[in-house]
Amino acid sequence: MIYSATLPAQAAGGADTTTLAGVYSSAFYSGDTVTDVQLVAPPSYATIAGAATNNATFAVRQLRNGVVLQTFASLTLTAGTNLAAEIPVTIPLTSQPVLRAGDVLDVQMRQNGTGQMLSAGLHLSVFVS
């Protein structure tokens, strides 16, 4: 099963944004293990070069009954980590969530320091099997 979110634009230094990726359901049970998280920019997306201090972070979270249980994948656009059109970037797993029916998956974008401007359309996918 793949959960996905198309992320909104975010101004450099802007407020955090949170986007829903989906609700886990065992009704279509194929597994409950997160195997991969990918972020990809759409066609014609202007390349974003990572920076040492003024950058952005993507945090993929698990919520149950409206409460954040954990951030299980996270990527900060540090030096050497770039986003370019149609080139997938893996968001490393920091822990393995134990998914239960009704758990919500979302992604939070956070600006660090003066941040980086992010255009709309970044696509995040969470693969569960």
Side-chain angles (χ1 to χ4, degrees), residues 26-106:
S26 57
F28 302 105
Y29 188 80
S30 64
D32 58 4
T33 301
V34 175
T35 59
D36 197 20
V37 180
Q38 295 283 324
L39 184 66
V40 65
S44 303
Y45 197 87
T47 298
I48 297 173
T53 55
N54 298 313
N55 52 41
T57 297
F58 301 88
V60 185
R61 308 180 315 164
Q62 173 191 17
L63 294 86
R64 186 171 296 146
N65 297 320
V67 176
V68 176
L69 295 180
Q70 65 178 319
T71 295
F72 63 87
S74 181
L75 175 73
T76 298
L77 297 178
T78 56
T81 303
N82 305 318
L83 294 177
E86 300 185 83
I87 299 176
V89 175
T90 297
I91 298 181
L93 294 173
T94 55
S95 63
Q96 183 58 246
V98 176
L99 298 173
R100 293 187 186 160
D103 282 1
V104 171
L105 304 177
D106 73 14

